[in-house]
Amino acid sequence: MAAAQEHCEFKTEIKKLLDIITNSLYTNREIFLRELVSNASDALDKLRFETSRGTEVKDPDLPLEITLEADDNKHVLTLKDTGIGMSRDEIVRFLGTIAHSGSEQFLENMARESKENKDASDIIGRFGVGFYSVFMVAHKVVVTSQSYRSDEKPVRWTSDGLGSYDVETLDESLPRGTTIEIHLKEDHKEYATENRIKHIIKTHSNFISFPIKMGEETVNQVTALWREPKFSVKQEQYDEFYKFLTYDSEPPLETLHISVDAPVQFKALMFIPKKDYDIFNQERDKYGLDLYVRRVLIQKENKDLLPQYLGFMKGVVDTEDLPLNISRETLQENRVIAKIKSTITKQILSALEKMAKSDPDKYAAFWKEHSKIFKIGYMDFAHKDRFAGLLRFNSSIHESKDELTSLADYISRAKEGQKEIYYISGQSREAVELNPHFEIFRKKGIEVLYLYEPIDEFALEAVGEFEKFKLKAAENADLKNLDDFADTDKDEKKPVEELSKDDSKILDRLLKKMQDILGEKVTEVRLSDRLTTSPACLVSPDGTMSSHMQKIMRLVGGGAKDDTIPPKAMEINADHPLVRNLIAIFGADENDLYLGACIEQLYESSLLLEGYLSDPHKMVNRINELLEQSSGWYKEVKKV
C-alpha cells in the first residue's frame, strides 16, 4: 500500500544532464552497472560503519551483500543491496538534484564535449553522478529503499529519465536496503541476460569487498589480494592471482606487493612475467597497470602509472585518493596519478637492484626477456644513474655471447689510470671482434663492451657518464689515452721489420697518391696507430657519433634510400703485408693500374665494414678481376 505520492520535476541541471546522457552516442554503456554496484558497495560500507559504532539498525542479521536478478523475458535487470538505505528526504536529495555541480556554464561545456567524446565514463565522471548513467539503457527505473532507521518508512522513486519523477511512501514493511529495477530499452535488452551481467561484474567490479550474487552463485570470487597484509599472503596465492590477471600459464618471475601512505595512499600488486610473449613487438604500446579506486576498476592498462620502459610489469594499483568517477582525461592531468607513478617507478627499480645483487641468475633471466623494453629507460633522466646501474652487456672478457657484465663490474676491472668505459657496436660477437677499431684494445688488453642492439648505443650515449667514467665508442677513443697502457702478451703477431728510409719516403708519396685517387670520398689518408691486423679503416672526425650511430640516424632521418656517406678519414696500417706490397709496387711504378684497383678496394672494403656500401656490384667485379690476376700469378709461382 502506498501513501503520500508526489510527482516532481527534475531540476534544470538534471534535465540537461539526462539529455546529454540519453541522446549522445556512447560506446561504453555497460559502465552503468559498474556505477550502480559501486553505489551499492558504498551503501554497505556506510551500514557497516554505523554498526561498528554501535548504532541500532533495522534487520541487524541481514547479510551484507549485493544481488542481481536478470529477467530476459521481461527485459528487466534488478539490483539489490542490504546497505544503509534511504529515507524519503534522502532519495529526493540524492536522485533529484546534482549534489555538487550545477552551473549553467559547466553543463554547456559538457554538452559540447559530449559531441566529441564518446566514452560514457568520461562525462559521467565529470559530474560525479553515476546513478544517472542507468538511463543510457533504461526507459524506466524504479528505486525502492528502506532506511536502516527503524522509524523510517520505505520509499519508492520512479522515473523515465525524460524530465520528471514520482516519489511515494509505502505503508508496508520491507527489509533494509535498496532495490533498483531497470526496465531496459528494446535495443539494450542484452543487459537482462545472466552471461552478459556476469561478464560486466567480472570486468569492472570483481574485487568489490561484498559478495555480488546471481542466484546461488557468487560472481566476484577473487580476493582483492593487494589489500591483504603481505605477511598473510603465500606465494601460491600470488601465483594464482597473477595467472588470473594475465592468463599466463607460468608463475611470475618476481612479485612486488607494496602499500604506501605518503605522499599518496595506495596499494599495488605487481609482477614481472617470466617470459616476454610479444616476440614481434606488435604490442609494444599495450602496457600499463589496472587502476582501481576502492576495489572498483576505473581503467585497464593505465599507461600513466608506469614509464614505458617498465611496461613489462603486470598488476593493479588501488587508491583511496581519487574520486570513483574520475574521467580518463582528468586521470592524465591528476597529480595523484603522477605521484603514484613516481613512487611505483622507484619501487620497481629498487626491486630490480635487489634482484641483481642477491640473485644474478634471476636478474640475467629478467634481462634476457625484458631488456629490449627496459633499455628505453635511457630517456628517464630523473633516474639515469639507477637505470645505468641496471644495464647489462656482453664484453670482450667473456668467452661467449650469453655472458653479461654491468658498468660497475667493468669499472672494477679497469686498468689503473683508465677513466673511460669503451664500447663497440655490431650485429654479432664475431662482427665486433673483426671490427678494425677493436684491434688497439685487444693489443692493449683493455675491456670493451659489445653492443648488439641499435638501442644500446642510444642508451649509453644518453647515460654519458657512470661513476665518473665517461662512456665512449671505441672508434672515437683518444689514442693518446691508450698510449699509457702497455701492450699485452696476447698479441702473437710476428714482429714486422721497420721500413727503411727510402720506403718511408715512398709511403709518404703513396698516401698522397691514395688521397688523389679517392678524392673527396675521404677527408684525408693517414697512417694509423690503432690497427694491428687490418690494412685500413675509416675514422670519423673527433667528437662525432660512431659509425653505427650514424647509420641508425641515417635510416631514421633519411630513410633506407639515403646513400650519403659522412665525411671520414682513411687510416692505413703501414705494417700490414698488403700495404708493404703496395709500397713496393708504387716504388716501381707510380701509375700501375693494379695499384689503383687495390686502393679502391681498400676503401670500399672499409665502407662495407662500416655499413655504408649501398651498391656492391662494382666492388664484386673488381674483386673478381683481382682474383683473376692473383690466381694467374699464384699459378706461375706454384708452377701448376
Side-chain angles (χ1 to χ4, degrees):
M1 181 177 181
Q5 182 172 348
E6 182 180 0
H7 182 77
C8 306
E9 293 290 322
F10 281 120
K11 291 194 174 183
T12 303
E13 295 91 341
I14 290 290
K15 288 183 179 180
K16 291 186 177 182
L17 171 63
L18 291 173
D19 180 67
I20 292 171
I21 290 176
T22 57
N23 295 323
S24 297
L25 296 176
Y26 296 118
T27 58
N28 191 22
R29 294 175 181 267
E30 68 181 35
I31 60 97
F32 84 90
L33 187 54
R34 181 195 75 179
E35 300 298 321
L36 297 183
V37 170
S38 297
N39 290 343
S41 177
D42 287 344
L44 290 165
D45 269 328
K46 291 174 182 177
L47 190 282
R48 186 162 55 185
F49 172 75
E50 292 294 340
T51 303
S52 67
R53 66 177 187 168
T55 303
E56 185 175 338
V57 302
K58 178 178 172 57
D59 303 323
D61 296 329
L62 270 180
L64 301 183
E65 62 185 17
I66 302 167
T67 58
L68 289 160
E69 298 175 8
D71 190 330
D72 196 11
N73 294 322
K74 296 181 179 180
H75 310 325
V76 175
L77 175 64
T78 303
L79 184 148
K80 300 179 181 179
D81 70 67
T82 54
I84 200 165
M86 291 178 284
S87 65
R88 182 186 180 97
D89 289 343
E90 288 169 336
I91 209 168
V92 170
R93 185 165 73 251
F94 294 149
L95 303 187
T97 62
I98 294 180
H100 63 274
S101 182
S103 74
E104 188 76 15
Q105 184 62 46
F106 183 80
L107 286 166
E108 289 177 2
N109 291 341
M110 288 312 304
R112 183 175 65 254
E113 290 186 25
S114 70
K115 296 177 182 179
E116 303 172 357
N117 188 346
K118 305 304 181 185
D119 189 338
S121 61
D122 282 4
I123 183 172
I124 290 167
R126 295 290 185 86
F127 282 98
V129 283
F131 168 78
Y132 296 104
S133 63
V134 71
F135 287 106
M136 292 190 296
V137 299
H139 66 82
K140 184 175 78 170
V141 176
V142 180
V143 180
T144 306
S145 191
Q146 170 64 61
S147 173
Y148 73 104
R149 301 183 187 93
S150 298
D151 58 344
E152 293 283 354
K153 291 184 177 181
V155 61
R156 178 175 294 139
W157 179 97
T158 306
S159 178
D160 58 7
L162 298 179
S164 64
Y165 61 91
D166 294 321
V167 181
E168 54 185 327
T169 302
L170 306 179
D171 288 331
E172 58 184 283
S173 178
L174 293 179
R176 182 198 70 237
T178 299
T179 299
I180 304 175
E181 292 179 13
I182 305 163
H183 297 259
L184 296 163
K185 297 175 181 177
E186 182 64 26
D187 53 344
H188 295 303
K189 59 186 180 180
E190 62 180 286
Y191 296 112
T193 58
E194 280 199 13
N195 288 340
R196 186 76 172 96
I197 295 306
K198 288 178 181 178
H199 174 76
I200 295 172
I201 294 299
K202 290 181 177 180
T203 299
H204 296 284
S205 307
N206 210 21
F207 301 106
I208 292 291
S209 56
F210 302 99
I212 303 175
K213 295 185 175 181
M214 290 198 77
E216 299 298 320
E217 180 185 353
T218 299
V219 182
N220 59 330
Q221 294 184 344
V222 182
T223 303
L225 207 59
W226 61 84
R227 284 182 168 259
E228 301 296 320
K230 284 191 287 186
F231 65 83
S232 68
V233 183
K234 297 179 180 179
Q235 186 59 48
E236 291 79 7
Q237 292 174 278
Y238 286 133
D239 294 348
E240 182 180 352
F241 182 84
Y242 168 77
K243 292 177 181 179
F244 162 80
L245 183 71
T246 64
Y247 304 105
D248 195 343
S249 60
E250 294 192 57
L253 181 69
E254 187 73 10
T255 301
L256 282 75
H257 189 174
I258 61 177
S259 179
V260 178
D261 294 323
V264 292
Q265 186 180 36
F266 73 92
K267 300 179 187 296
L269 181 55
M270 300 175 289
F271 305 92
I272 301 176
K274 275 187 178 179
K275 299 287 185 182
D276 176 16
Y277 294 103
D278 185 19
I279 300 174
F280 301 107
N281 294 327
Q282 294 181 339
E283 299 183 353
R284 178 60 62 88
D285 293 330
K286 188 179 180 182
Y287 71 93
L289 301 174
D290 294 346
L291 175 62
Y292 287 78
V293 174
R294 298 186 292 280
R295 293 187 174 89
V296 177
L297 179 65
I298 300 302
Q299 185 181 2
K300 287 192 71 66
E301 294 182 343
N302 182 290
K303 293 180 173 60
D304 299 312
L305 292 168
L306 276 178
Q308 186 179 5
Y309 74 99
L310 299 180
F312 52 83
M313 299 294 299
K314 306 294 181 183
V316 301
V317 173
D318 193 349
T319 179
E320 307 283 338
D321 293 344
L322 286 172
L324 187 61
N325 294 308
I326 188 168
S327 71
R328 291 186 180 182
E329 179 179 326
T330 309
L331 271 177
Q332 294 173 349
E333 302 168 354
N334 196 284
R335 292 184 178 180
V336 172
I337 294 295
K339 290 178 180 178
I340 292 175
K341 176 181 178 179
S342 176
T343 303
I344 284 178
T345 299
K346 293 174 183 177
Q347 292 275 356
I348 295 173
L349 292 176
S350 294
L352 290 174
E353 288 167 345
K354 181 180 178 181
M355 184 196 301
K357 184 177 181 180
S358 62
D359 195 342
D361 290 340
K362 180 187 283 191
Y363 189 78
F366 156 77
W367 189 258
K368 179 181 178 182
E369 294 296 324
H370 303 296
S371 61
K372 288 185 179 181
I373 296 176
F374 182 79
K375 289 173 188 176
I376 302 173
Y378 72 84
M379 295 180 286
D380 185 0
F381 297 107
H383 302 99
K384 183 179 73 170
D385 292 340
R386 301 186 73 179
F387 166 78
L390 290 166
L391 291 173
R392 296 293 183 270
F393 300 99
N394 194 217
S395 166
S396 58
I397 68 160
H398 295 140
E399 296 295 329
S400 75
K401 65 178 181 180
D402 297 322
E403 298 178 76
L404 298 171
T405 190
S406 66
L407 298 181
D409 288 339
Y410 179 105
I411 290 173
S412 70
R413 296 186 293 265
K415 290 182 175 292
E416 186 177 352
Q418 183 180 341
K419 293 299 180 183
E420 293 174 318
I421 297 174
Y422 297 103
Y423 59 86
I424 193 166
S425 300
Q427 294 182 341
S428 65
R429 186 177 175 91
E430 293 75 15
V432 169
E433 293 182 338
L434 289 174
N435 191 312
H437 296 288
F438 178 59
E439 294 173 11
I440 184 66
F441 295 92
R442 183 191 293 116
K443 178 180 179 181
K444 297 291 184 180
I446 297 175
E447 182 177 355
V448 178
L449 299 178
Y450 294 170
L451 279 52
Y452 303 130
E453 301 289 340
I455 196 173
D456 292 346
E457 197 158 342
F458 279 101
L460 293 187
E461 285 273 357
V463 171
E465 183 176 304
F466 183 75
E467 296 183 4
K468 298 183 178 179
F469 274 67
K470 293 187 180 299
L471 294 157
K472 186 172 284 289
E475 67 180 88
N476 292 335
D478 187 343
L479 298 183
K480 294 179 181 178
N481 293 337
L482 303 180
D483 287 342
D484 295 334
F485 303 113
D487 296 351
T488 65
D489 295 332
K490 294 181 180 179
D491 189 359
E492 300 177 355
K493 183 181 175 183
K494 295 181 180 180
V496 180
E497 183 179 342
E498 289 189 15
L499 286 172
S500 65
K501 290 183 180 180
D502 290 340
D503 284 345
S504 295
K505 292 178 181 179
I506 295 173
L507 175 59
D508 291 338
R509 299 202 313 273
L510 175 61
L511 296 179
K512 292 178 182 179
K513 180 71 172 181
M514 289 181 171
Q515 180 74 68
D516 292 340
I517 290 174
L518 298 176
E520 295 182 355
K521 294 178 181 178
V522 295
T523 58
E524 65 173 314
V525 179
R526 65 194 183 203
L527 292 178
S528 177
D529 292 325
R530 75 182 75 230
L531 298 176
T532 59
T533 58
S534 299
C537 71
L538 294 175
V539 180
S540 300
D542 293 340
T544 62
M545 65 180 70
S546 71
S547 301
H548 189 75
M549 183 68 80
Q550 287 173 346
K551 184 169 59 175
I552 294 173
M553 297 305 294
R554 180 183 62 169
L555 292 173
V556 172
K561 294 183 179 180
D562 182 8
D563 296 332
T564 304
I565 300 172
K568 291 176 179 288
M570 185 172 181
E571 290 192 357
I572 301 298
N573 179 6
D575 292 337
H576 194 278
L578 174 56
V579 176
R580 291 295 176 95
N581 291 339
L582 293 180
I583 292 173
I585 294 170
F586 183 74
D589 182 359
E590 294 187 4
N591 297 313
D592 194 306
L593 295 178
Y594 176 80
L595 189 71
C598 285
I599 292 172
E600 289 281 1
Q601 186 59 46
L602 280 174
Y603 171 71
E604 292 196 359
S605 295
S606 298
L607 276 185
L608 183 63
L609 288 174
E610 297 284 332
Y612 290 112
L613 188 66
S614 58
D615 186 0
H617 293 87
K618 186 176 180 181
M619 184 186 76
V620 170
N621 187 59
R622 186 188 307 110
I623 289 175
N624 289 335
E625 290 178 356
L626 291 173
L627 285 174
E628 180 182 345
Q629 293 175 17
S630 62
S631 62
W633 299 327
Y634 187 78
K635 178 181 176 182
E636 293 180 6
V637 171
K638 287 292 187 178
K639 296 180 180 180
V640 294

